[in-house]
Amino acid sequence: MNKKVAVYRKEHFKAAHRLFNPAWDEATNTKVFGKCALPNYHGHNYELDVKLTGEPNPETGYVMDLKELSDLIKKEIIDRFDHRNLNLDTVEFRNLNPTAENIAVVIYTLLRPHIPEQLELQVRLYETPRNFVEYPA
Ligand code: NI
């Protein structure tokens, strides 16, 4: 019998970004990315849901201690990205367009090595209350 349980931790950060492809001219960037390509950046209130799936530990009853997960997300993600300009202030997005899709993949990649390997990890990132992405899909 499958005893897997999903547990979630919600966190939040604010960050600025600009979407553009340096290989394209200004007109093409504006056509594809609209206002998101404006050169002086804009901000988002990102909501992050981190989902772990696995069997509860028989001794603790926890899939993972959510305080530990919260501390991990703060250390690896919030401290790195909160109140930053993603394009200018972070190595992760120096050469990577900071779309919600790419941010979710980066967050997954930063967290994965610190999560017990028997647990599945999924990241959901809200760029706005109506626009959100999940990785892995
Ligand atoms: Ni944006």
Side-chain angles (χ1 to χ4, degrees):
M1 186 182 142
N2 180 357
K3 290 181 185 162
K4 283 186 177 173
V5 178
V7 299
Y8 297 78
R9 177 70 195 179
K10 287 172 109 61
E11 298 288 349
H12 171 82
F13 62 96
K14 303 178 203 309
H17 75 169
R18 175 197 184 199
L19 302 183
F20 74 109
N21 183 333
W24 298 342
D25 62 20
E26 206 68 23
T28 307
N29 272 293
T30 300
K31 187 170 174 234
V32 173
F33 297 118
K35 283 182 174 177
C36 289
L38 284 171
N40 289 335
Y41 308 94
H42 62 275
H44 290 283
N45 290 315
Y46 290 98
E47 295 289 343
L48 171 64
D49 294 350
V50 174
K51 176 187 183 185
L52 300 181
T53 308
E55 293 196 6
N57 179 302
E59 289 183 318
T60 62
Y62 286 158
V63 171
M64 182 170 173
D65 185 330
L66 290 181
K67 176 70 169 76
E68 271 180 42
L69 179 59
S70 172
D71 291 346
L72 174 64
I73 299 167
K74 284 202 175 76
K75 178 164 171 274
E76 292 296 327
I77 309 301
I78 310 300
D79 288 354
R80 193 183 303 257
F81 297 142
D82 189 37
H83 284 71
R84 298 308 202 287
N85 179 312
L86 297 176
N87 304 78
L88 299 181
D89 300 336
T90 74
V91 293
E92 289 79 8
F93 298 104
R94 189 141 305 161
N95 298 303
L96 180 65
N97 204 18
T99 59
E101 290 87 335
N102 283 336
I103 299 169
V105 172
V106 164
I107 289 173
Y108 177 95
T109 305
L110 288 167
L111 291 177
R112 184 67 263 190
H114 304 283
I115 305 283
E117 62 181 32
Q118 73 274 16
L119 302 181
E120 290 165 40
L121 169 64
Q122 190 180 45
V123 167
R124 176 184 279 190
L125 184 71
Y126 288 81
E127 192 169 74
T128 73
R130 290 167 185 267
N131 291 350
F132 57 97
V133 302
E134 277 184 345
Y135 181 77

